[in-house]
Structure formats: C-alpha cells, structure tokens
Amino acid sequence: MLHHSKVVGLPVSRIDGPLKVTGTAHYATEHAAPGMLYGYVVPATIATGRILAVHTHEAESFPGVVKVYTHENRPKAAFRDAKWKDEVALPGHPFRPLENDRVLFDGQPVAFVVAESFEAARDAAALIRVDYAPGEAKTDICAERHNAYVPPVPRMPQFMPPKPRGDAETAFGLAPHSVSNDYVIKGEHHNPMELFGTTVILGRDGDLTIHEKTQGSQNSQAYVCGVFGLDPERVVVRNRFVGGAFGQGLRPKHNLFLAVMASLDLNRSMKVEMSRREMFYLTWRPSCVQTVSLAADGEGHLQAVLHHAVHATSRHEDYQENVANWSGLAYACDNVKIEYEIAKLDMATPGDMRAPGAASGLTALEAAMDELAYAVGIDPLELRIRNFVHRDQNQDKDITSKALHACYREGAERFGWASRSPEPGSMREGNELIGWGMAGGIWEAQMSQAEARVRLFADGRVTVSAAASDIGTGTYTILGQLAAEAFDIPVERVTVAIGASDLPKTGVEGGSWTAATSGTAVQNAAKAVIKTLLDHAKNMENSPLADASEEQVEISEGRLVLETNHQAGVAISDIMASAGLPFIAETGKAAPDKAIMAKFSAYTHSAVFVEVRVDVELGVVSVTRVVSAVAAGRILNPKTARSQILGGVVMGIGMALHEEGMIDHRSGRIMNHNIAEYHIPAHADIHDIEVLFVEEDDDKPSPIGVKGLGEIGIVGVAAAVSNAIFHATGKRIRHFPITLDKILESEINP
C-alpha cells in the first residue's frame, strides 16, 4: 500500500519554474547545431484559387540563400493519405505543404526559402512574387450555414447528437414560456506565447533529433516517420518545454514538415520558426451559428430543449467537435432535439481550442437559460437549481459524481448573489451600470492510455519518466508530487523527465486527461516498484516482512515497513544492497476502466458568477469580479490548479468581449493577423478572479480521483459575461464578441 504523506494536495511551486524564470529552459527553436540552416515561409495572399507561377530568381540569387522550394521542386515525400495520418487526424484530405498549385486558404505556404541565416531567408522571401488565378472565397459562416451538412464520417461517435427524446417541437409550442434565438460566435485564434517552430539536428550517422513545439512528441514522431519513410528508432522528437498551446499543438504543423524535408534534402541541420502573422493561418476555434430554443412551465421546469449548431470546417477536412450535445445533459428535460452540422469555408482546418465544442455550445445554452429565467420571472440561479439532473439523459447513464449544487451554493455565497437586484439596469453606481450574471459549465472527465517508468535508487532518490507534455499546466510538478508521496520523500528528491518520444508511451496532452492518465501511470509504476522491493525484502535473512503482502506495507522515512507497525521494516538501502541492485525500475500503465465507463458518465462541473460595469455614456464594459466554483475531483496541487482556472477565465473574458478573427469576406483574407489588432485581454481588462474548488471524492473517472482542469475554467464564462451585460443594460447581445459597437447600437440606459 502506498504511504500517503502530505505531498499531493499541497500548493507546491512548479519544479520547472526556476528554469523558466532564469531563461535556462530551452524551447523548440532555442537549440543550435554547427552549420545550421534557417527556413522562412512565403504565405499565399489569396484564400482560394491556383498558383500560375512562382518567381524565385531574385530570392535564389540573394546572398546566403541555399535553396528555394515550391510545389514544382519539392523533394519526393510519401503523399498517400495513410502516411499523413496523426493521432488527431480528421476525416478528409490532410493538408500537405507545397503539394500542388492549388491554394486552399489565406496564408497557405506557397514557397519556402532556406538560407545560412534567418535574416537572409526572411529578406529573400520578400523578393518572391507569385502569380495567382484567384477563386471566389466563401468564408462567412452566416452565409454558408444553409449549405451545412451532417458529417458523413464522425470524427468521434460521441460528437454526433443523441437520438431525439420525447417530442420537443410539440412541447415547445404548448409551453407557457419559451425563448428561441440565434447565437453567433466569431472564429478565435489560439495565439500561445511561444511561436510554432522546429529545430532539426542531424546526427553524424543520419539520426534526427527534432525539437518541436507540440502537445505530443510521439504523435509528431509518428507523423514524420510516416511521411518521410524514416525508421522510428532513428528519430527522436523532444518538447521538454512548451510555451502554451491551448490545443493548437495537437496536430503537426507545416513548420515540422518543411524543416524535416529541407534537412533531409540538404543533409544539414535546420531551424524553422513561424512569425506571429503565420500563427493566424493555422488551426482556429471555428466560427459558429447556433439556434437554441427553450420552453418551460410556470415554475420554470424545462419542457423542451432544441439546439441546432453549425460550425465551420475547411474544404479539405471535416473538422468536428461536440458543440450541441451538452444541451441534452446539462438540465433535466424529457423533450430534447439536438442537430449538428458543419459548413465548408475557404479557410484552414479549424482545430481544438480549449474546451472545444463546450466553450461554444454552452455559451449559447447558458445565455438562452438566462433569457428563459427572465421570461419565466425567476432568478437565473434558481432556474438552474430547479432543473438539476443527476443522470446523463443523453446516454441514459448515472453520473459518477456531480457536486454542481455545491458549486452553485459556495460560488453564490462568495459572490454575494443573494443581494442581486433582479431588474435589468437597477444596479448603478455613478456613471456606471452594474450587472451580475452567472452560468454553468460542464466538461468530460476522461482518461487516455499512457505508460510511465519510475526508478527508485538505494539512497531514496526517485526518477519519473514519460513522454507526457507540459504546456504550462504543471505536469512536471504533479507527477513529481505523486512520486514523492508514494515514496515518502520531498518533491526535491524526485527528478521528472518528460517531453520526448523515446520515453514511455503517452497520448497527446489535451482533453484535460493528462493528470488523470499519466498520474495514474506514475502511481501504478510506484506500486510496482514497492512490490518488487518487497519481493527482495522477503528474500533477506530474518526479514520482518517475510509474510507481508504488498497491501500491508508502505515506505516511511527511507524504510519499507508494515503499515500497522513502522518498527517492523527494512531500510531501502539494505534491501537493494542485499539484492545487489543500484536501483529498482518498473513501468506502470493507465487506461480507462471500460467496465466502469460502460455504466457511468463522468464530467467536471462549474458555476461562474460575473460582475460587469458598463459606462452609461461610453458603453465600455469592464469585468470587475469573477467567482468560479469548480468541482473537479481530487485537486493534486491547488496552486497549479488555480492557475489553470485563472487562465480559462481570462480566455473566457476574451471570448466574450475581445477575440475575433476579422475576415474580409470579399477576399477571404484575415485582416487582423497580429496581436495588436486581434484583441486579447490585457492586464487592464482583468480584475478580481476568485477560484473555489468544492469537495468531490470520485475514483471512477480515474484511480487517483482526478477529473481534469484544463478545459472547465473557460466553459460558461462568456455566457456569464453576456448575462451580466444584459442585467446591467437591458440589452441582449447574442453576437460574440460583445464589442463596443454592439453596446452602442442603441440606448443602453434602460
């Protein structure tokens, strides 16, 4: 049995923190090798059409330029679909850089310059001219929603809507209270701090060491080996440090392909880093249009839920995410109809962005619930409480645990919700209208498959190794805490090695499953080490543990002891000396328990309370207070956990008020491809954010009781801000982001 000293659950500072704040944590493009070359991408300046000619002569003559690649001279690569699949592959035709003369989206790479220096590559790229035959770009989701279709091949079965239950249309028509509206959410762009980049270091024997910005080193390795026909034993991908990703790093990007392509072709080490502008041409949270219709009886009990969602995908792939299904499980209702479609746009394939699907779908549902509360005439929080549901009605399963009532209660108490004046525009201070809004949040509590290796040395030191990634979430720290607790040692005595494809196998870091999955693998590996240690202890002469089982022992103060009698035990150093071992190493595995999950559904939950202040004359909105109450099972580290929710809340505020990829629909081009004009929350936009973790004990989603935190922090935030704006102004704005022009379109003083 593992000894549970107080290590897990403590607010331990990040063990990788000192490296990051001192600048000694090397990211993907901060590695070097002798004779390294540098690449620079030339992006397309049309959104759809054909390349007629690429004029490269001036660039090829530029001092320092080694080679210029286009679709006409790219080296031969494996261009069959099967070779281009990755762990997050989608139905359709994956994008292949420099494949042919067709342009699929604004910013698509149309040429790639390689030079002896970054500056030479950049300056030469500016000399390349491209002749196009542009096509008619279609990039407006509102215009293309009528051409939407049900995906013929599901990306994942659970993304498809459940069968309708009851008769939602009839119930909607008969109910005394109803609301039905469209909600539009503009596309968002991830913009993590670290730019996407790749450094390929070519070894003397032809082996490749690739430093890559990715959320899955083994996924990138499999991609590279598949595309170029390389031996996996001779390719290592490392992503020891990742400067944010938010889902954008789940799939390999063209920087990886181009860097490896050029390195193999020129037999040189290679570095490619995207510009901030290029980051906007990658994956993005898809723009979407949703129609949500809700009906209730006189007491506010839901009689009908109808949710129809359409979001964007690209011409070449069917990107899909779970947008609408949440409306069938969030609240109790016997009459539910959910419809889900996608619409092709002339843009890059969208991708998972923090709480993909839920962040968009629950924004619409939770805004509609607020509208229904006003239609019925009851408090928005009370409406949610009256429609509380204990089962997953979509799948007709029990839920492993649901501490959402505690989120409602503790969040409302901390926020002061009881003193809210219900009438819109009734709370005012000076020249500012004050609004209070709230919303609920849901995200799946999932596990993936993973392995981890734990090594215990005779002096009590421990190493943990796994291919898992840390994109700023705290993976290094929580894995170290779990190992420290298992062996009753300080975290400082644990060395954590992650972020490399040659370490024990894990999936991509996403879906809020890394802590549950890799954490369980570490715990299982620690148990295996202790079992092996016990086996050796039993072989010792006059061993006090000769008759003990592994459930009866634990490690305490450097000794393997009986749990009920710490006097009976043997020093770890003596056990290993007796066995002639410098260390004991074991591998642990983790995977979802199929038997449990066949019977249950598992989710994290939250309740978000928001205060806004709106200037009566200027219409400026400030989010002055947020309380986010979260039920996410066992909290391994309150400090890193709080940071996850803080980051999610800030992104939710961005979704509500700031973030918007502005497309010129005449040309299909992105106009604000920089973070000066693509607005994100700045320090001045963020005020008080309080995070509460409610008690929740649940070992069904994962053996270590973890449910995940990366996504739940953003879910519901945009809706809560929107609802608060309505409470302040009496204006219901259903088009996100809620920018100043929308506030000022009509008189805001109710």
Side-chain angles (χ1 to χ4, degrees):
M1 182 176 180
L2 296 184
H3 176 68
H4 292 292
S5 60
K6 192 62 176 175
V7 180
V8 172
L10 290 180
V12 175
S13 296
R14 296 173 186 267
I15 62 177
D16 52 321
L19 295 174
K20 291 180 175 178
V21 299
T22 58
T24 50
H26 291 166
Y27 292 82
T29 58
E30 295 182 325
H31 300 267
M36 179 165 284
L37 298 175
Y38 298 81
Y40 200 89
V41 172
V42 177
T45 56
I46 62 171
T48 184
R50 298 279 178 180
I51 299 171
L52 300 178
V54 184
H55 303 282
T56 62
H57 178 72
E58 286 186 78
E60 289 167 333
S61 303
F62 194 86
V65 169
V66 175
K67 191 168 184 177
V68 177
Y69 295 94
T70 70
H71 67 280
E72 295 179 329
N73 71 334
R74 59 151 179 80
K76 185 177 180 180
F79 271 87
R80 292 187 297 115
D81 276 358
K83 294 292 185 180
W84 283 74
K85 295 299 182 185
D86 62 84
E87 192 177 334
V88 198
L90 305 172
H93 187 83
F95 172 66
R96 307 156 200 216
L98 309 182
E99 180 184 16
N100 52 39
D101 65 351
R102 187 180 176 193
V103 176
L104 300 170
F105 54 88
D106 179 32
Q108 172 184 315
V110 294
F112 180 60
V113 180
V114 177
E116 298 286 351
S117 69
F118 168 79
E119 292 79 8
R122 177 197 60 197
D123 294 348
L127 300 175
I128 292 177
R129 293 181 296 105
V130 184
D131 298 333
Y132 299 102
E136 181 184 355
K138 296 183 178 181
T139 51
D140 186 349
I141 188 63
C142 293
E144 296 305 309
R145 65 185 297 190
H146 305 295
N147 296 320
Y149 59 97
V150 176
V153 180
R155 176 186 175 192
M156 293 184 182
Q158 62 267 34
F159 288 2
M160 293 296 101
K163 293 180 180 179
R165 58 180 186 262
D167 186 345
E169 285 97 342
T170 299
F172 182 85
L174 295 175
H177 303 288
S178 62
V179 295
S180 181
N181 291 291
D182 283 355
Y183 300 86
V184 179
I185 302 176
K186 288 293 190 72
E188 294 181 80
H189 297 264
H190 300 67
N191 275 302
M193 186 176 293
E194 182 194 10
L195 302 170
F196 273 87
T198 304
T199 302
V200 180
I201 297 178
L202 188 65
R204 292 181 180 178
D205 53 2
D207 290 359
L208 296 182
T209 299
I210 303 172
H211 298 278
E212 166 75 352
K213 188 209 171 85
T214 175
Q215 290 173 245
S217 59
Q218 291 171 333
N219 187 38
S220 291
Q221 185 216 33
Y223 167 86
V224 164
C225 292
V227 169
F228 295 101
L230 303 175
D231 181 356
E233 297 295 321
R234 305 191 67 180
V235 178
V236 175
V237 176
R238 303 193 186 283
N239 65 327
R240 190 181 176 198
F241 300 104
V242 182
F246 313 123
Q248 197 172 35
L250 292 174
R251 301 187 72 186
K253 301 296 182 288
H254 57 255
N255 52 285
L256 176 60
F257 172 83
L258 294 171
V260 175
M261 176 196 76
S263 179
L264 295 174
D265 184 50
L266 302 172
N267 199 35
R268 298 272 295 273
S269 294
M270 188 76 210
K271 182 177 293 189
V272 179
E273 184 176 39
M274 293 188 182
S275 64
R276 180 59 64 181
R277 172 184 173 182
E278 290 175 84
M279 299 286 284
F280 285 83
Y281 303 139
L282 304 176
T283 54
W284 52 296
R285 190 194 300 280
S287 51
C288 64
V289 183
Q290 303 174 70
T291 303
V292 179
S293 305
L294 305 177
D297 64 17
E299 276 69 51
H301 298 111
L302 281 168
Q303 302 299 297
V305 173
L306 298 98
H307 191 159
H308 179 242
V310 177
H311 74 64
T313 187
S314 64
R315 291 286 172 198
H316 51 288
E317 289 182 296
D318 281 353
Y319 174 75
Q320 301 159 46
E321 57 188 36
N322 182 5
V323 178
N325 293 357
W326 312 99
S327 292
L329 62 87
Y331 303 104
C333 188
D334 294 330
N335 302 291
V336 175
K337 183 178 181 181
I338 296 171
E339 298 173 285
Y340 169 66
E341 297 177 293
I342 57 178
K344 288 192 176 297
L345 300 184
D346 294 304
M347 298 183 68
T349 301
D352 298 320
M353 181 174 177
R354 201 171 202 155
S360 301
L362 283 162
T363 294
L365 174 66
E366 291 297 305
M369 285 290 287
D370 196 72
E371 298 197 45
L372 184 65
Y374 281 96
V376 177
I378 62 175
D379 182 88
L381 175 57
E382 179 61 26
L383 177 70
R384 289 164 172 83
I385 292 172
R386 291 185 188 183
N387 289 283
F388 193 91
V389 63
H390 293 278
R391 283 178 62 79
D392 179 346
Q393 291 182 285
N394 281 353
Q395 302 184 63
D396 194 25
K397 292 180 180 180
D398 286 332
I399 297 174
T400 58
S401 64
K402 187 175 182 180
L404 181 56
H405 268 314
C407 294
Y408 288 152
R409 182 179 62 254
E410 294 181 29
E413 182 179 353
R414 190 66 61 90
F415 187 81
W417 185 262
S419 61
R420 175 182 183 268
S421 172
E423 187 68 25
S426 60
M427 297 172 64
R428 181 167 180 164
E429 189 173 292
N431 208 41
E432 292 181 321
L433 295 167
I434 300 171
W436 288 3
M438 63 84 54
I442 319 170
W443 182 255
E444 296 167 309
Q446 307 174 80
M447 275 189 70
S448 183
Q449 294 186 354
E451 298 178 358
R453 192 161 182 82
V454 170
R455 180 175 296 181
L456 173 65
F457 292 88
D459 62 0
R461 290 180 298 111
V462 172
T463 62
V464 174
S465 58
S469 303
D470 189 333
I471 61 172
T473 51
T475 307
Y476 276 105
T477 308
I478 60 168
L479 296 187
Q481 285 179 266
L482 286 163
E485 182 170 276
F487 296 104
D488 191 32
I489 58 176
V491 175
E492 292 76 15
R493 298 273 286 164
V494 180
T495 300
V496 179
I498 60 175
S501 62
D502 54 354
L503 296 175
K505 187 174 182 178
T506 62
V508 293
E509 200 271 14
S512 292
W513 60 57
T514 295
T517 307
S518 291
T520 297
V522 168
Q523 178 169 279
N524 289 341
K527 288 180 178 179
V529 168
I530 292 173
K531 182 180 184 301
T532 301
L533 194 66
L534 176 60
D535 291 342
H536 288 302
K538 288 182 176 183
N539 293 330
M540 297 175 67
E541 187 175 353
N542 299 320
S543 173
L545 304 176
D547 298 323
S549 67
E550 60 180 296
E551 291 79 18
Q552 295 173 319
V553 300
E554 61 188 19
I555 290 179
S556 177
E557 298 179 345
R559 301 170 69 242
L560 184 65
V561 299
L562 289 175
E563 182 186 18
T564 56
N565 179 13
H566 283 201
Q567 299 302 311
V570 185
I572 292 172
S573 56
D574 291 342
I575 297 172
M576 291 197 187
S578 174
L581 297 173
F583 60 82
I584 293 174
E586 297 290 349
T587 298
K589 296 183 178 182
D593 189 319
K594 294 181 180 179
I596 290 178
M597 299 322 295
K599 298 178 181 179
F600 295 94
S601 296
Y603 301 97
T604 55
H605 298 90
S606 68
V608 186
F609 298 83
V610 167
E611 176 185 271
V612 302
R613 289 175 177 255
V614 183
D615 187 285
V616 173
E617 296 177 353
L618 302 177
V620 174
V621 177
S622 298
V623 178
T624 47
R625 280 197 304 137
V626 179
V627 173
S628 179
V630 179
R634 185 186 186 195
I635 303 301
L636 299 178
N637 184 323
K639 183 181 287 189
T640 58
R642 177 176 178 271
S643 292
Q644 283 295 285
I645 303 304
L646 288 177
V649 169
V650 172
M651 289 186 73
I653 293 171
M655 186 178 190
L657 300 177
H658 303 277
E659 297 193 48
E660 175 182 9
M662 293 184 175
I663 313 299
D664 182 342
H665 296 306
R666 298 167 300 178
S667 65
R669 300 194 65 194
I670 301 171
M671 295 291 99
N672 59 336
H673 44 56
N674 55 72
I675 53 177
E677 295 170 303
Y678 178 86
H679 294 168
I680 57 176
H683 286 83
D685 299 304
I686 305 302
H687 298 268
D688 292 341
I689 301 174
E690 189 166 359
V691 179
L692 306 176
F693 293 110
V694 306
E695 292 291 330
E696 187 174 42
D697 186 10
D698 186 353
D699 64 358
K700 290 183 177 67
S702 71
I704 60 175
V706 170
K707 282 184 157 187
L709 288 165
E711 264 80 13
I712 190 63
I714 188 177
V715 182
V717 175
V721 173
S722 166
N723 297 338
I725 290 173
F726 173 76
H727 182 237
T729 66
K731 289 175 61 70
R732 184 69 70 176
I733 300 172
R734 305 181 184 94
H735 193 295
F736 295 82
I738 302 173
T739 47
L740 188 61
D741 56 313
K742 301 183 183 84
I743 296 284
L744 292 176
E745 278 179 356
S746 60
E747 182 67 36
I748 67 172
N749 190 8

